[in-house]
Structure formats: C-alpha cells, structure tokens
Amino acid sequence: MKITTIIPTFNRASHITTAIESVINQSYKVDEIIIVDDGSTDNTQEILERFQDLKVIKTKNRGVSSARNIGIKEATNEWICFLDSDDEWLSEKIKSQILLHNEREDILFSHTSEIWQKDGKIVKYPKRLAKPEGHCFLENLSTCKIAASSVMVHKSVFDDIGCFDEDMRVCEDYDMWLRISHKYELGHVKEAMIIKKAGHAQLSNSIFAIDRYHISSLQKFLDTPYHDGIKNEIIKKCNILIKGALKHKNTEIYETYSKMIRDIQS
C-alpha cells in the first residue's frame, strides 16, 4: 500500500517541524508528503526548506478545506492520510491502519484513537467522544468524533462523494466524516496513534455559534432514510443556539433558529 500524507498549514511555524518529523519517523514508510501552505505569513517556508522530499504547495489563504482539497487533487497514491500541522503521529500509526485495511479489504475509511494534550499536558478524553466504528452515521451526528489527523481514506471515496466543503469556515471535518460514514463503513484502530494538541490559538475557538455549521451540514441529509434522527439533532442544536441568543440578546439568531424549528416540525 502506498500512502500520501497531506499536511495543511497556516502560520504554524512553531509546530510544523514536529508534525513532519512524526510522518518521516513512521515504522511504515510514507511514500508522499504534501504540505499545503495556506498563505502563511510567518517563517513556515524557511522551516520547510530544511526538509528533503516534501512536495510543498504555497497558496493564498483560503482555509483548511481548500488546502486539503488541493492536497487530495495532487496526491499520487491510492491511500490518503491527513495530519493537522499542530498535531503529531505516534510511530506505529500508519502500520496499524495498514494492518486493519489488509484484514478488511472492504473497509476504505478508518481512524484511530488519540491522546489529547493541552498546553503540553495530557488531558482526559471525554466519554461522549468515544470512537465510533462500523456503520455509524447516526453515532456521528451529535459532534465530531473523528480526528482528521487520525484518518486514512482510499482516494476512490473522494471520487465518489467529493472533497471538503470550502464554504464551511469550521466543522468541515464533521461535514466530511458524515458524508463518508453515510455510505461507508468506518474501521477503528483502538490504540491511540496520534497526539491531538490544544491550548494554542485555533480557528474553532474564535467562531461564534459554531452549531450553525453543524446544522448546515446536517441539512444535507434531510432527504435520506435517516431524516428523523437528523431532524431531532437539528432541533437540539437549534435550541442550543436559541438559548445562547436569549442570553446575549441576539434577535437575529433567535428568530432564524426558532423559525427553523417550526419549519422542521410542521
């Protein structure tokens, strides 16, 4: 199996060396490493020049979805992995997923468990984010339980369902994993194979009313056999937004999502 790893990055000069080295140091060699520099203004390019055998693509800042999509289109191998430039892989990550896919050739989409690290310290993993597997579309509705840095996907899956939604500023991974798990079975390596880091500046921390993006994604599935579960989840998320709107006296949010609940229930 030949593997392409796609690392999108934007102003992560302080993290990207660790990310790249964690790919280079895999026990199973990664054949292609694509770095998509999404318009960084720090010294990212200077750091990237220290490495050999990287495919570096520099673009204007268009967001992580665009960066990942560029990487997917440039990938020359059949299996694609993603690594956020502020995360890192443990050395057996790729090997563990290859073993899974070799045992189950029908599975074209897998992920691993993860270690959470905040401000350099390991933190407890919430039970509500227990890792799903199998035919698990409904399990993924409430929140994003699949870490982008843990995923391995056969390129044919993207040919089938399309790439990341570039209109989504955040939650683009939640949207993608829903679209895949709606059609494909998910494999799971139970051992933690990535370190997912937090505590530094992250885009999702600065986005107001993030459930708006979850709802936008869920609406794509209203005409599927899962419509009852979808409606219930949309109503739940609308109520969260309405509660916040009342607290902050945001009339627009309150009226928009109150109307959405009425429309769904009618």
Side-chain angles (χ1 to χ4, degrees), residues 79 96-97 100-101 104 106-113 131-136 140 145-146 150-153 180-181 184-190:
W79 288 95
S96 69
Q97 284 177 286
L100 183 155
H101 288 288
R104 288 285 309 276
D106 58 312
I107 290 181
L108 301 178
F109 172 43
S110 72
H111 69 144
T112 78
S113 293
K131 294 300 180 183
E133 61 181 306
H135 296 286
C136 56
N140 289 319
K145 299 178 181 179
I146 301 170
S150 76
V151 164
M152 181 181 285
V153 191
I180 296 179
S181 63
Y184 292 89
E185 186 174 357
L186 174 65
H188 176 220
V189 174
K190 293 178 173 55

PDB file of all heavy atoms in Angstrom, residues 79 96-97 100-101 104 106-113 131-136 140 145-146 150-153 180-181 184-190:
ATOM      1  N   TRP A  79      -4.058   5.670  -1.168  1.00  0.00           N
ATOM      2  CA  TRP A  79      -4.478   5.872   0.217  1.00  0.00           C
ATOM      3  C   TRP A  79      -4.005   7.243   0.704  1.00  0.00           C
ATOM      4  O   TRP A  79      -2.845   7.604   0.506  1.00  0.00           O
ATOM      5  CB  TRP A  79      -3.924   4.772   1.121  1.00  0.00           C
ATOM      6  CG  TRP A  79      -4.605   3.457   0.902  1.00  0.00           C
ATOM      7  CD1 TRP A  79      -4.192   2.445   0.083  1.00  0.00           C
ATOM      8  CD2 TRP A  79      -5.841   3.022   1.473  1.00  0.00           C
ATOM      9  NE1 TRP A  79      -5.083   1.404   0.120  1.00  0.00           N
ATOM     10  CE2 TRP A  79      -6.114   1.722   0.973  1.00  0.00           C
ATOM     11  CE3 TRP A  79      -6.747   3.594   2.374  1.00  0.00           C
ATOM     12  CZ2 TRP A  79      -7.245   1.001   1.337  1.00  0.00           C
ATOM     13  CZ3 TRP A  79      -7.872   2.880   2.740  1.00  0.00           C
ATOM     14  CH2 TRP A  79      -8.114   1.585   2.224  1.00  0.00           C
ATOM     15  N   SER A  96      -0.429   0.454  11.822  1.00  0.00           N
ATOM     16  CA  SER A  96      -1.622  -0.092  12.468  1.00  0.00           C
ATOM     17  C   SER A  96      -2.835  -0.025  11.547  1.00  0.00           C
ATOM     18  O   SER A  96      -3.657  -0.954  11.511  1.00  0.00           O
ATOM     19  CB  SER A  96      -1.911   0.659  13.775  1.00  0.00           C
ATOM     20  OG  SER A  96      -2.324   1.991  13.532  1.00  0.00           O
ATOM     21  N   GLN A  97      -2.947   1.046  10.772  1.00  0.00           N
ATOM     22  CA  GLN A  97      -4.086   1.166   9.863  1.00  0.00           C
ATOM     23  C   GLN A  97      -3.927   0.282   8.630  1.00  0.00           C
ATOM     24  O   GLN A  97      -4.912  -0.256   8.115  1.00  0.00           O
ATOM     25  CB  GLN A  97      -4.294   2.629   9.474  1.00  0.00           C
ATOM     26  CG  GLN A  97      -4.950   3.421  10.614  1.00  0.00           C
ATOM     27  CD  GLN A  97      -5.106   4.882  10.306  1.00  0.00           C
ATOM     28  OE1 GLN A  97      -4.127   5.615  10.328  1.00  0.00           O
ATOM     29  NE2 GLN A  97      -6.323   5.318  10.024  1.00  0.00           N
ATOM     30  N   LEU A 100      -5.105  -3.052   9.582  1.00  0.00           N
ATOM     31  CA  LEU A 100      -6.568  -3.082   9.603  1.00  0.00           C
ATOM     32  C   LEU A 100      -7.135  -3.243   8.197  1.00  0.00           C
ATOM     33  O   LEU A 100      -8.005  -4.086   7.956  1.00  0.00           O
ATOM     34  CB  LEU A 100      -7.098  -1.800  10.254  1.00  0.00           C
ATOM     35  CG  LEU A 100      -8.608  -1.647  10.442  1.00  0.00           C
ATOM     36  CD1 LEU A 100      -8.891  -0.688  11.597  1.00  0.00           C
ATOM     37  CD2 LEU A 100      -9.323  -1.131   9.194  1.00  0.00           C
ATOM     38  N   HIS A 101      -6.634  -2.450   7.272  1.00  0.00           N
ATOM     39  CA  HIS A 101      -7.173  -2.485   5.908  1.00  0.00           C
ATOM     40  C   HIS A 101      -6.797  -3.773   5.165  1.00  0.00           C
ATOM     41  O   HIS A 101      -7.561  -4.242   4.323  1.00  0.00           O
ATOM     42  CB  HIS A 101      -6.719  -1.253   5.129  1.00  0.00           C
ATOM     43  CG  HIS A 101      -7.393   0.008   5.569  1.00  0.00           C
ATOM     44  ND1 HIS A 101      -8.719   0.270   5.293  1.00  0.00           N
ATOM     45  CD2 HIS A 101      -6.937   1.073   6.287  1.00  0.00           C
ATOM     46  CE1 HIS A 101      -9.045   1.445   5.814  1.00  0.00           C
ATOM     47  NE2 HIS A 101      -7.984   1.948   6.422  1.00  0.00           N
ATOM     48  N   ARG A 104      -9.320  -6.235   6.437  1.00  0.00           N
ATOM     49  CA  ARG A 104     -10.674  -5.926   5.974  1.00  0.00           C
ATOM     50  C   ARG A 104     -10.584  -5.095   4.698  1.00  0.00           C
ATOM     51  O   ARG A 104     -10.667  -3.863   4.727  1.00  0.00           O
ATOM     52  CB  ARG A 104     -11.447  -5.157   7.061  1.00  0.00           C
ATOM     53  CG  ARG A 104     -11.848  -5.972   8.263  1.00  0.00           C
ATOM     54  CD  ARG A 104     -13.021  -6.906   7.945  1.00  0.00           C
ATOM     55  NE  ARG A 104     -14.138  -6.228   7.313  1.00  0.00           N
ATOM     56  CZ  ARG A 104     -15.096  -5.576   8.000  1.00  0.00           C
ATOM     57  NH1 ARG A 104     -15.037  -5.500   9.314  1.00  0.00           N
ATOM     58  NH2 ARG A 104     -16.107  -5.003   7.356  1.00  0.00           N
ATOM     59  N   ASP A 106     -12.607  -4.621   2.470  1.00  0.00           N
ATOM     60  CA  ASP A 106     -13.848  -3.923   2.129  1.00  0.00           C
ATOM     61  C   ASP A 106     -13.953  -2.562   2.800  1.00  0.00           C
ATOM     62  O   ASP A 106     -14.778  -1.738   2.404  1.00  0.00           O
ATOM     63  CB  ASP A 106     -15.059  -4.776   2.518  1.00  0.00           C
ATOM     64  CG  ASP A 106     -15.061  -5.126   4.003  1.00  0.00           C
ATOM     65  OD1 ASP A 106     -14.008  -5.558   4.515  1.00  0.00           O
ATOM     66  OD2 ASP A 106     -16.111  -4.972   4.655  1.00  0.00           O
ATOM     67  N   ILE A 107     -13.133  -2.313   3.801  1.00  0.00           N
ATOM     68  CA  ILE A 107     -13.171  -1.033   4.514  1.00  0.00           C
ATOM     69  C   ILE A 107     -12.217  -0.050   3.823  1.00  0.00           C
ATOM     70  O   ILE A 107     -11.033  -0.321   3.658  1.00  0.00           O
ATOM     71  CB  ILE A 107     -12.800  -1.204   5.995  1.00  0.00           C
ATOM     72  CG1 ILE A 107     -13.917  -1.961   6.714  1.00  0.00           C
ATOM     73  CG2 ILE A 107     -12.564   0.153   6.658  1.00  0.00           C
ATOM     74  CD1 ILE A 107     -13.680  -2.165   8.199  1.00  0.00           C
ATOM     75  N   LEU A 108     -12.751   1.100   3.442  1.00  0.00           N
ATOM     76  CA  LEU A 108     -11.978   2.112   2.709  1.00  0.00           C
ATOM     77  C   LEU A 108     -11.773   3.390   3.524  1.00  0.00           C
ATOM     78  O   LEU A 108     -11.255   4.391   2.997  1.00  0.00           O
ATOM     79  CB  LEU A 108     -12.700   2.457   1.401  1.00  0.00           C
ATOM     80  CG  LEU A 108     -12.940   1.291   0.433  1.00  0.00           C
ATOM     81  CD1 LEU A 108     -13.716   1.764  -0.796  1.00  0.00           C
ATOM     82  CD2 LEU A 108     -11.625   0.644   0.019  1.00  0.00           C
ATOM     83  N   PHE A 109     -12.124   3.347   4.804  1.00  0.00           N
ATOM     84  CA  PHE A 109     -12.127   4.555   5.642  1.00  0.00           C
ATOM     85  C   PHE A 109     -11.865   4.108   7.077  1.00  0.00           C
ATOM     86  O   PHE A 109     -12.586   3.273   7.611  1.00  0.00           O
ATOM     87  CB  PHE A 109     -13.494   5.225   5.497  1.00  0.00           C
ATOM     88  CG  PHE A 109     -13.795   6.381   6.401  1.00  0.00           C
ATOM     89  CD1 PHE A 109     -12.863   7.363   6.660  1.00  0.00           C
ATOM     90  CD2 PHE A 109     -15.060   6.514   6.970  1.00  0.00           C
ATOM     91  CE1 PHE A 109     -13.171   8.444   7.477  1.00  0.00           C
ATOM     92  CE2 PHE A 109     -15.390   7.582   7.765  1.00  0.00           C
ATOM     93  CZ  PHE A 109     -14.444   8.550   8.030  1.00  0.00           C
ATOM     94  N   SER A 110     -10.820   4.646   7.700  1.00  0.00           N
ATOM     95  CA  SER A 110     -10.522   4.250   9.080  1.00  0.00           C
ATOM     96  C   SER A 110      -9.963   5.419   9.864  1.00  0.00           C
ATOM     97  O   SER A 110      -9.522   6.432   9.300  1.00  0.00           O
ATOM     98  CB  SER A 110      -9.525   3.081   9.106  1.00  0.00           C
ATOM     99  OG  SER A 110      -8.234   3.514   8.731  1.00  0.00           O
ATOM    100  N   HIS A 111      -9.985   5.243  11.191  1.00  0.00           N
ATOM    101  CA  HIS A 111      -9.365   6.232  12.073  1.00  0.00           C
ATOM    102  C   HIS A 111      -8.797   5.505  13.280  1.00  0.00           C
ATOM    103  O   HIS A 111      -8.961   4.292  13.432  1.00  0.00           O
ATOM    104  CB  HIS A 111     -10.363   7.315  12.486  1.00  0.00           C
ATOM    105  CG  HIS A 111     -11.461   6.847  13.403  1.00  0.00           C
ATOM    106  ND1 HIS A 111     -11.977   7.626  14.412  1.00  0.00           N
ATOM    107  CD2 HIS A 111     -12.161   5.678  13.469  1.00  0.00           C
ATOM    108  CE1 HIS A 111     -12.943   6.981  15.033  1.00  0.00           C
ATOM    109  NE2 HIS A 111     -13.075   5.804  14.489  1.00  0.00           N
ATOM    110  N   THR A 112      -8.109   6.243  14.140  1.00  0.00           N
ATOM    111  CA  THR A 112      -7.503   5.657  15.332  1.00  0.00           C
ATOM    112  C   THR A 112      -7.976   6.417  16.564  1.00  0.00           C
ATOM    113  O   THR A 112      -8.542   7.508  16.470  1.00  0.00           O
ATOM    114  CB  THR A 112      -5.961   5.726  15.283  1.00  0.00           C
ATOM    115  OG1 THR A 112      -5.536   7.057  15.612  1.00  0.00           O
ATOM    116  CG2 THR A 112      -5.425   5.343  13.914  1.00  0.00           C
ATOM    117  N   SER A 113      -7.714   5.840  17.711  1.00  0.00           N
ATOM    118  CA  SER A 113      -7.909   6.589  18.953  1.00  0.00           C
ATOM    119  C   SER A 113      -6.787   7.611  19.084  1.00  0.00           C
ATOM    120  O   SER A 113      -5.837   7.621  18.294  1.00  0.00           O
ATOM    121  CB  SER A 113      -7.945   5.639  20.145  1.00  0.00           C
ATOM    122  OG  SER A 113      -9.098   4.814  20.077  1.00  0.00           O
ATOM    123  N   LYS A 131     -14.860   6.685  20.419  1.00  0.00           N
ATOM    124  CA  LYS A 131     -14.620   6.496  18.989  1.00  0.00           C
ATOM    125  C   LYS A 131     -15.610   5.505  18.365  1.00  0.00           C
ATOM    126  O   LYS A 131     -15.756   4.385  18.840  1.00  0.00           O
ATOM    127  CB  LYS A 131     -13.191   6.015  18.752  1.00  0.00           C
ATOM    128  CG  LYS A 131     -12.137   7.046  19.114  1.00  0.00           C
ATOM    129  CD  LYS A 131     -12.309   8.295  18.304  1.00  0.00           C
ATOM    130  CE  LYS A 131     -11.286   9.353  18.637  1.00  0.00           C
ATOM    131  NZ  LYS A 131     -11.519  10.590  17.887  1.00  0.00           N
ATOM    132  N   PRO A 132     -16.272   5.902  17.292  1.00  0.00           N
ATOM    133  CA  PRO A 132     -17.224   5.013  16.611  1.00  0.00           C
ATOM    134  C   PRO A 132     -16.528   4.095  15.618  1.00  0.00           C
ATOM    135  O   PRO A 132     -15.385   4.327  15.222  1.00  0.00           O
ATOM    136  CB  PRO A 132     -18.135   6.001  15.879  1.00  0.00           C
ATOM    137  CG  PRO A 132     -17.222   7.151  15.548  1.00  0.00           C
ATOM    138  CD  PRO A 132     -16.246   7.240  16.698  1.00  0.00           C
ATOM    139  N   GLU A 133     -17.240   3.053  15.204  1.00  0.00           N
ATOM    140  CA  GLU A 133     -16.755   2.184  14.137  1.00  0.00           C
ATOM    141  C   GLU A 133     -17.937   1.482  13.489  1.00  0.00           C
ATOM    142  O   GLU A 133     -19.058   1.507  13.999  1.00  0.00           O
ATOM    143  CB  GLU A 133     -15.753   1.156  14.674  1.00  0.00           C
ATOM    144  CG  GLU A 133     -16.289   0.207  15.710  1.00  0.00           C
ATOM    145  CD  GLU A 133     -15.213  -0.756  16.192  1.00  0.00           C
ATOM    146  OE1 GLU A 133     -14.591  -1.423  15.336  1.00  0.00           O
ATOM    147  OE2 GLU A 133     -14.991  -0.829  17.412  1.00  0.00           O
ATOM    148  N   GLY A 134     -17.677   0.874  12.342  1.00  0.00           N
ATOM    149  CA  GLY A 134     -18.727   0.167  11.619  1.00  0.00           C
ATOM    150  C   GLY A 134     -19.625   1.127  10.860  1.00  0.00           C
ATOM    151  O   GLY A 134     -19.198   2.200  10.422  1.00  0.00           O
ATOM    152  N   HIS A 135     -20.875   0.732  10.696  1.00  0.00           N
ATOM    153  CA  HIS A 135     -21.862   1.603  10.054  1.00  0.00           C
ATOM    154  C   HIS A 135     -22.406   2.544  11.138  1.00  0.00           C
ATOM    155  O   HIS A 135     -23.322   2.213  11.880  1.00  0.00           O
ATOM    156  CB  HIS A 135     -22.964   0.764   9.422  1.00  0.00           C
ATOM    157  CG  HIS A 135     -22.470  -0.115   8.321  1.00  0.00           C
ATOM    158  ND1 HIS A 135     -22.120   0.371   7.077  1.00  0.00           N
ATOM    159  CD2 HIS A 135     -22.232  -1.458   8.280  1.00  0.00           C
ATOM    160  CE1 HIS A 135     -21.712  -0.624   6.302  1.00  0.00           C
ATOM    161  NE2 HIS A 135     -21.762  -1.749   7.007  1.00  0.00           N
ATOM    162  N   CYS A 136     -21.820   3.721  11.245  1.00  0.00           N
ATOM    163  CA  CYS A 136     -22.000   4.543  12.446  1.00  0.00           C
ATOM    164  C   CYS A 136     -22.433   5.974  12.139  1.00  0.00           C
ATOM    165  O   CYS A 136     -22.102   6.890  12.895  1.00  0.00           O
ATOM    166  CB  CYS A 136     -20.717   4.548  13.264  1.00  0.00           C
ATOM    167  SG  CYS A 136     -19.260   5.089  12.341  1.00  0.00           S
ATOM    168  N   ASN A 140     -22.407   9.682  14.740  1.00  0.00           N
ATOM    169  CA  ASN A 140     -21.568  10.847  14.476  1.00  0.00           C
ATOM    170  C   ASN A 140     -22.344  12.154  14.387  1.00  0.00           C
ATOM    171  O   ASN A 140     -21.761  13.211  14.138  1.00  0.00           O
ATOM    172  CB  ASN A 140     -20.794  10.638  13.166  1.00  0.00           C
ATOM    173  CG  ASN A 140     -19.709   9.585  13.296  1.00  0.00           C
ATOM    174  OD1 ASN A 140     -19.013   9.529  14.288  1.00  0.00           O
ATOM    175  ND2 ASN A 140     -19.591   8.733  12.292  1.00  0.00           N
ATOM    176  N   LYS A 145     -16.523  13.105  16.186  1.00  0.00           N
ATOM    177  CA  LYS A 145     -15.820  12.103  16.977  1.00  0.00           C
ATOM    178  C   LYS A 145     -14.614  11.517  16.245  1.00  0.00           C
ATOM    179  O   LYS A 145     -13.979  10.597  16.744  1.00  0.00           O
ATOM    180  CB  LYS A 145     -16.788  10.982  17.366  1.00  0.00           C
ATOM    181  CG  LYS A 145     -17.959  11.457  18.215  1.00  0.00           C
ATOM    182  CD  LYS A 145     -18.915  10.320  18.532  1.00  0.00           C
ATOM    183  CE  LYS A 145     -20.087  10.821  19.364  1.00  0.00           C
ATOM    184  NZ  LYS A 145     -21.046   9.731  19.673  1.00  0.00           N
ATOM    185  N   ILE A 146     -14.357  12.020  15.065  1.00  0.00           N
ATOM    186  CA  ILE A 146     -13.267  11.514  14.234  1.00  0.00           C
ATOM    187  C   ILE A 146     -12.250  12.634  14.039  1.00  0.00           C
ATOM    188  O   ILE A 146     -12.578  13.701  13.519  1.00  0.00           O
ATOM    189  CB  ILE A 146     -13.797  11.034  12.869  1.00  0.00           C
ATOM    190  CG1 ILE A 146     -14.852   9.931  13.063  1.00  0.00           C
ATOM    191  CG2 ILE A 146     -12.655  10.546  11.987  1.00  0.00           C
ATOM    192  CD1 ILE A 146     -15.600   9.578  11.800  1.00  0.00           C
ATOM    193  N   SER A 150      -6.195  11.475  12.387  1.00  0.00           N
ATOM    194  CA  SER A 150      -6.174  10.023  12.569  1.00  0.00           C
ATOM    195  C   SER A 150      -6.689   9.250  11.362  1.00  0.00           C
ATOM    196  O   SER A 150      -6.626   8.021  11.328  1.00  0.00           O
ATOM    197  CB  SER A 150      -7.021   9.641  13.793  1.00  0.00           C
ATOM    198  OG  SER A 150      -8.410   9.722  13.509  1.00  0.00           O
ATOM    199  N   VAL A 151      -7.202   9.955  10.368  1.00  0.00           N
ATOM    200  CA  VAL A 151      -7.957   9.314   9.288  1.00  0.00           C
ATOM    201  C   VAL A 151      -7.056   8.754   8.196  1.00  0.00           C
ATOM    202  O   VAL A 151      -6.030   9.338   7.845  1.00  0.00           O
ATOM    203  CB  VAL A 151      -8.951  10.338   8.687  1.00  0.00           C
ATOM    204  CG1 VAL A 151      -9.486   9.885   7.349  1.00  0.00           C
ATOM    205  CG2 VAL A 151     -10.102  10.572   9.662  1.00  0.00           C
ATOM    206  N   MET A 152      -7.478   7.601   7.633  1.00  0.00           N
ATOM    207  CA  MET A 152      -6.922   7.067   6.398  1.00  0.00           C
ATOM    208  C   MET A 152      -8.095   6.753   5.470  1.00  0.00           C
ATOM    209  O   MET A 152      -9.043   6.085   5.878  1.00  0.00           O
ATOM    210  CB  MET A 152      -6.091   5.809   6.643  1.00  0.00           C
ATOM    211  CG  MET A 152      -5.466   5.219   5.376  1.00  0.00           C
ATOM    212  SD  MET A 152      -4.505   3.695   5.664  1.00  0.00           S
ATOM    213  CE  MET A 152      -3.035   4.368   6.418  1.00  0.00           C
ATOM    214  N   VAL A 153      -8.048   7.259   4.238  1.00  0.00           N
ATOM    215  CA  VAL A 153      -9.164   7.116   3.299  1.00  0.00           C
ATOM    216  C   VAL A 153      -8.634   6.700   1.936  1.00  0.00           C
ATOM    217  O   VAL A 153      -7.623   7.237   1.458  1.00  0.00           O
ATOM    218  CB  VAL A 153      -9.942   8.449   3.130  1.00  0.00           C
ATOM    219  CG1 VAL A 153     -11.240   8.214   2.363  1.00  0.00           C
ATOM    220  CG2 VAL A 153     -10.238   9.102   4.464  1.00  0.00           C
ATOM    221  N   ILE A 180     -19.004  10.694   4.436  1.00  0.00           N
ATOM    222  CA  ILE A 180     -18.395   9.382   4.185  1.00  0.00           C
ATOM    223  C   ILE A 180     -19.127   8.292   4.951  1.00  0.00           C
ATOM    224  O   ILE A 180     -19.475   7.249   4.392  1.00  0.00           O
ATOM    225  CB  ILE A 180     -16.899   9.392   4.556  1.00  0.00           C
ATOM    226  CG1 ILE A 180     -16.119  10.370   3.666  1.00  0.00           C
ATOM    227  CG2 ILE A 180     -16.315   7.981   4.398  1.00  0.00           C
ATOM    228  CD1 ILE A 180     -14.640  10.460   3.992  1.00  0.00           C
ATOM    229  N   SER A 181     -19.377   8.514   6.258  1.00  0.00           N
ATOM    230  CA  SER A 181     -19.984   7.457   7.071  1.00  0.00           C
ATOM    231  C   SER A 181     -21.429   7.186   6.673  1.00  0.00           C
ATOM    232  O   SER A 181     -21.980   6.138   7.009  1.00  0.00           O
ATOM    233  CB  SER A 181     -19.906   7.806   8.563  1.00  0.00           C
ATOM    234  OG  SER A 181     -20.628   8.982   8.870  1.00  0.00           O
ATOM    235  N   TYR A 184     -20.179   4.633   3.825  1.00  0.00           N
ATOM    236  CA  TYR A 184     -19.079   3.689   4.007  1.00  0.00           C
ATOM    237  C   TYR A 184     -18.935   3.264   5.467  1.00  0.00           C
ATOM    238  O   TYR A 184     -19.173   4.042   6.386  1.00  0.00           O
ATOM    239  CB  TYR A 184     -17.757   4.322   3.548  1.00  0.00           C
ATOM    240  CG  TYR A 184     -17.675   4.560   2.067  1.00  0.00           C
ATOM    241  CD1 TYR A 184     -18.121   5.760   1.513  1.00  0.00           C
ATOM    242  CD2 TYR A 184     -17.155   3.596   1.212  1.00  0.00           C
ATOM    243  CE1 TYR A 184     -18.062   5.990   0.144  1.00  0.00           C
ATOM    244  CE2 TYR A 184     -17.075   3.817  -0.162  1.00  0.00           C
ATOM    245  CZ  TYR A 184     -17.535   5.007  -0.683  1.00  0.00           C
ATOM    246  OH  TYR A 184     -17.465   5.234  -2.041  1.00  0.00           O
ATOM    247  N   GLU A 185     -18.483   2.033   5.635  1.00  0.00           N
ATOM    248  CA  GLU A 185     -18.194   1.515   6.971  1.00  0.00           C
ATOM    249  C   GLU A 185     -16.869   2.094   7.463  1.00  0.00           C
ATOM    250  O   GLU A 185     -15.922   2.269   6.698  1.00  0.00           O
ATOM    251  CB  GLU A 185     -18.115  -0.012   6.918  1.00  0.00           C
ATOM    252  CG  GLU A 185     -17.958  -0.675   8.271  1.00  0.00           C
ATOM    253  CD  GLU A 185     -18.023  -2.191   8.197  1.00  0.00           C
ATOM    254  OE1 GLU A 185     -18.249  -2.725   7.087  1.00  0.00           O
ATOM    255  OE2 GLU A 185     -17.846  -2.827   9.251  1.00  0.00           O
ATOM    256  N   LEU A 186     -16.804   2.384   8.753  1.00  0.00           N
ATOM    257  CA  LEU A 186     -15.631   3.003   9.362  1.00  0.00           C
ATOM    258  C   LEU A 186     -14.847   1.974  10.165  1.00  0.00           C
ATOM    259  O   LEU A 186     -15.385   1.306  11.049  1.00  0.00           O
ATOM    260  CB  LEU A 186     -16.071   4.148  10.279  1.00  0.00           C
ATOM    261  CG  LEU A 186     -14.996   4.825  11.127  1.00  0.00           C
ATOM    262  CD1 LEU A 186     -13.976   5.538  10.241  1.00  0.00           C
ATOM    263  CD2 LEU A 186     -15.633   5.822  12.096  1.00  0.00           C
ATOM    264  N   GLY A 187     -13.560   1.850   9.856  1.00  0.00           N
ATOM    265  CA  GLY A 187     -12.681   0.997  10.647  1.00  0.00           C
ATOM    266  C   GLY A 187     -12.049   1.795  11.778  1.00  0.00           C
ATOM    267  O   GLY A 187     -11.860   3.012  11.678  1.00  0.00           O
ATOM    268  N   HIS A 188     -11.704   1.101  12.861  1.00  0.00           N
ATOM    269  CA  HIS A 188     -11.157   1.798  14.030  1.00  0.00           C
ATOM    270  C   HIS A 188      -9.993   1.031  14.629  1.00  0.00           C
ATOM    271  O   HIS A 188     -10.130  -0.138  15.000  1.00  0.00           O
ATOM    272  CB  HIS A 188     -12.247   1.980  15.091  1.00  0.00           C
ATOM    273  CG  HIS A 188     -11.760   2.609  16.356  1.00  0.00           C
ATOM    274  ND1 HIS A 188     -12.173   2.208  17.609  1.00  0.00           N
ATOM    275  CD2 HIS A 188     -10.866   3.617  16.566  1.00  0.00           C
ATOM    276  CE1 HIS A 188     -11.581   2.936  18.522  1.00  0.00           C
ATOM    277  NE2 HIS A 188     -10.777   3.793  17.928  1.00  0.00           N
ATOM    278  N   VAL A 189      -8.840   1.683  14.733  1.00  0.00           N
ATOM    279  CA  VAL A 189      -7.706   1.169  15.494  1.00  0.00           C
ATOM    280  C   VAL A 189      -7.874   1.658  16.924  1.00  0.00           C
ATOM    281  O   VAL A 189      -7.854   2.868  17.185  1.00  0.00           O
ATOM    282  CB  VAL A 189      -6.372   1.667  14.915  1.00  0.00           C
ATOM    283  CG1 VAL A 189      -5.209   1.245  15.815  1.00  0.00           C
ATOM    284  CG2 VAL A 189      -6.168   1.134  13.501  1.00  0.00           C
ATOM    285  N   LYS A 190      -8.076   0.727  17.851  1.00  0.00           N
ATOM    286  CA  LYS A 190      -8.436   1.117  19.219  1.00  0.00           C
ATOM    287  C   LYS A 190      -7.296   1.759  19.991  1.00  0.00           C
ATOM    288  O   LYS A 190      -7.526   2.522  20.931  1.00  0.00           O
ATOM    289  CB  LYS A 190      -8.984  -0.103  19.967  1.00  0.00           C
ATOM    290  CG  LYS A 190     -10.321  -0.583  19.412  1.00  0.00           C
ATOM    291  CD  LYS A 190     -10.830  -1.810  20.135  1.00  0.00           C
ATOM    292  CE  LYS A 190     -12.247  -2.163  19.670  1.00  0.00           C
ATOM    293  NZ  LYS A 190     -12.346  -2.344  18.208  1.00  0.00           N
TER     294      LYS A 190
END
